[in-house]
Amino acid sequence: MYFPTDLELAELAAWRHELHRRPEISGEEAETARAVRAALALTSPDKVIAYLGGHGVAAVYDGTDEGPTVMFRAELDGLPIEEISDLPYRSTVAGKGHLCGHDGHMAILMALANEFGRQRPRRGRVVLMFQPAEENGAGAAAVIEDSKFAEIVPDYAFSLHNLPGLPLGHVALDSGPVNCASRGMKVELFGKTSHASLPEDGTSPMLAVAGLMPDLTALAEGGAMNANFALVTVTHARMGEPAFGIAPGHAEIWATLRTTTDAGMAGIVARAEALVAQRAAQAGLTFAVSYHDVFHHCENAPEAVAHLRHALQQEEVAHDSGVFPIKASEDFGRFAASGPSAMFYLGAGENYPQLHNPDYDFPDALIAIGARIFMRTARNLLD
Ligand SMILES: [Zn+2]
Ligand SMILES: [Zn+2]
């Protein structure tokens, strides 16, 4: 099996560069989805499902015999970060960039589309899932909740993410927790504004804000990666108005909560909410807490990992069990609900800009490696 060919790889890289030029952020991936549907159409899938959980696109390639549904997932979204590079295909959209490599993940799935267009699986079916809104944690859940998803519920689900810091093309893969749970906590404190000359007429949130920022940080300060790892990072705060004549009556604190497991998250959430209630009561304030960008922890099933490992050995891709879980979050774990799922990390190079950095760019050399691993996994399960 010689796949993908050099000609195909050149075309896939060029296609990725086009996506790279026109990044769209979570929930706004209309043109990216259109480009995906146009490229998929050339491979004559048996079915294409559009507008899945937003702008999601899934292509289905049926085998002739009964068998499992095997899903491979890529992500459609870029980031609200200005790209800084000299690349000829640098982002043309101000303030937005494909700086997590999702353009490369899409190119890998398109390599599979080309091959399944030429040769269907013998049994079961392959689903190529181009998921929207990964970066804010909303996309996988929205896809699963979409009634159209019932047609393509996977028996196995696989994904990959490129990872700077690992040698180029080297794979890290293991069973168990692979990504942390995380969520944004927004705390609003409500008092009463007053004239700055008469602060005693109002109720200022100032002391509560000043106390809560170190209190929340001290709840969980990171440390060693184990089952008890937890980290609270205060990311934003504001209070009152930028004016000298008004004593503040309103404040906001934003914090990101991160834990190894969903159970650990429940504990940190309860403690953070108790702190907020205590500080607000002391200051005579009311408060509201809301959560945003909620990611569950992501866990690899041993059976799905075994299928990937077998493919890595057959394709002679260097791999090890890595250091997991990694601190960043990922919403792919949601697909674990319907069957064994696993994702692996594919090295982008040891001295390479980190994900979400303004000078990051997906290495094209990874398209072939990722595609070969996925294709071998699919053929093993379905041929
Ligand atoms: Zn990202
Ligand atoms: Zn990503």
Side-chain angles (χ1 to χ4, degrees), residues 75 100-102 105 134-135 161-162 330 355-356:
E75 317 90 323
C100 203
H102 297 176
H105 302 165
E134 191 284 326
E135 293 290 355
H161 207 294
N162 77 94
E330 164 62 59
L355 300 173
H356 296 203

Side-chain angles (χ1 to χ4, degrees), residues 130-309:
F130 296 82
Q131 180 207 303
E134 191 284 326
E135 293 290 355
N136 64 11
V143 164
I144 290 166
E145 282 158 22
D146 190 314
S147 60
K148 298 188 287 298
F149 183 70
E151 297 175 47
I152 51 167
V153 175
D155 296 301
Y156 296 92
F158 298 100
S159 184
L160 67 79
H161 207 294
N162 77 94
L163 189 63
L166 270 186
L168 186 72
H170 187 96
V171 164
L173 168 69
D174 205 359
S175 302
V178 281
N179 288 91
C180 282
S182 74
R183 62 173 58 197
M185 180 187 198
K186 181 170 154 186
V187 177
E188 282 190 279
L189 298 165
F190 304 100
K192 184 168 175 286
T193 57
S194 61
H195 196 285
S197 68
L198 296 166
E200 64 273 23
D201 286 347
T203 308
S204 169
M206 187 267 287
L207 287 175
V209 170
L212 270 175
M213 290 195 288
D215 282 0
L216 288 170
T217 304
L219 261 187
E221 298 187 282
M225 281 311 290
N226 55 41
N228 298 319
F229 171 84
L231 176 66
V232 176
T233 309
V234 173
T235 61
H236 175 72
R238 68 187 195 91
M239 183 180 79
E241 300 304 323
F244 293 106
I246 308 168
H250 175 258
E252 271 181 28
I253 301 172
W254 295 20
T256 302
L257 282 48
R258 200 176 294 282
T259 57
T260 315
T261 63
D262 293 338
M265 178 60 73
I268 290 289
V269 163
R271 287 158 61 201
E273 288 186 4
L275 273 180
V276 172
Q278 183 192 348
R279 286 283 184 182
Q282 282 169 357
L285 306 164
T286 58
F287 68 94
V289 173
S290 59
Y291 295 100
H292 309 266
D293 295 14
V294 175
F295 289 86
H296 293 191
H297 86 260
C298 182
E299 186 152 343
N300 277 352
E303 185 191 345
V305 168
H307 287 298
L308 286 175
R309 275 215 183 101

